[in-house]
Amino acid sequence: MARQHSRTAHGRLTAPLAIDIARLGRRPGAMFTVQDTVDSPTRIGVELIAIQRGAPLALDLRVESVSEGVLVTGTVTAPTTGECSRCLTAIQGRVQVALTELFAYPGSTTAATTEEDEVGHVVDEKIDLEQSIIDAVGLELPFSPVCRPDCPGLCPQCGVVLDTDPDHHHDQIDPRWAKLADIVTAQRPDAADRGER
């Protein structure tokens, strides 16, 4: 089901994250705002936590014409889902990223002197924020998210969730002493036969 957009600004989204900037007319200082909520066109994040495809992206942006292109500033906020890197339980949260991105006009000095992936570009009087948002969210989200800072995780021997059984443990012999323990165990029946206790 398509999400209802709550546009309260002058900007117009022509694709999920593309903005039509024709009204700016390359007049430095001309600007408009975009306040909108759109569905995320793809999963955005890192391996264990992300904004899921279709999740609401709340955009609060200022789009301004500058001499070399279009400057976009503002925030993007969205819910995140994932799993704890220690105990693998599901976790949910929110992420808010700040955007400050320049999109170079075709034929500008910036477009001519930068690599293709250094700055965004105005294409057919539109700017596409998708890659900028992907990059910003990737930098903001933790690579190893946790359900809480003191999560004890899983037992490395059997996989039990230690939070549900805090007294869980395994009796283990240090591998450096394992051979000695085998010798002692092997000698015990002989000692019992000799009457030593």
Side-chain angles (χ1 to χ4, degrees):
M1 182 172 131
R3 182 173 309 282
Q4 293 294 317
H5 297 291
S6 57
R7 187 171 293 111
T8 60
H10 310 271
R12 216 176 72 215
L13 293 176
T14 58
L17 296 170
I19 300 174
D20 185 337
I21 53 95
R23 71 178 60 220
L24 295 177
R26 290 199 183 198
R27 296 183 312 272
M31 66 82 83
F32 61 83
T33 59
V34 176
Q35 292 176 323
D36 201 357
T37 300
V38 299
D39 294 337
S40 177
T42 186
R43 182 184 185 278
I44 301 173
V46 294
E47 186 177 351
L48 292 178
I49 190 165
I51 300 166
Q52 297 303 318
R53 181 180 184 140
L57 296 176
L59 309 175
D60 186 4
L61 306 171
R62 174 185 168 113
V63 181
E64 182 177 5
S65 179
V66 294
S67 60
E68 289 293 305
V70 175
L71 181 65
V72 178
T73 55
T75 59
V76 178
T77 308
T80 58
T81 57
E83 64 181 26
C84 176
S85 62
R86 295 182 191 164
C87 67
L88 307 181
T89 58
I91 55 176
Q92 296 182 344
R94 290 190 73 73
V95 64
Q96 183 176 77
V97 294
L99 289 184
T100 302
E101 290 290 327
L102 175 67
F103 293 84
Y105 286 131
S108 67
T109 303
T110 300
T113 59
T114 56
E115 297 294 326
E116 184 68 28
D117 59 353
E118 280 187 81
V119 296
H121 295 272
V122 175
V123 178
D124 296 329
E125 298 297 322
K126 296 179 181 64
I127 56 174
D128 191 344
L129 299 175
E130 184 171 349
Q131 191 58 52
S132 301
I133 293 171
I134 289 171
D135 294 344
V137 170
L139 292 173
E140 187 70 24
L141 292 177
F143 282 101
S144 298
V146 290
C147 57
R148 63 175 207 265
D150 61 344
C151 174
L154 303 175
C155 172
Q157 278 74 43
C158 65
V160 165
V161 178
L162 295 176
D163 196 37
T164 61
D165 188 1
D167 296 325
H168 178 81
H169 72 281
H170 296 273
D171 292 327
Q172 288 188 304
I173 297 174
D174 188 317
R176 296 171 293 183
W177 297 101
K179 191 68 171 174
L180 182 59
D182 291 343
I183 293 170
V184 170
T185 303
Q187 290 178 349
R188 281 193 180 150
D190 296 339
D193 292 342
R194 291 195 304 268
E196 297 175 15
R197 303 242 174 227

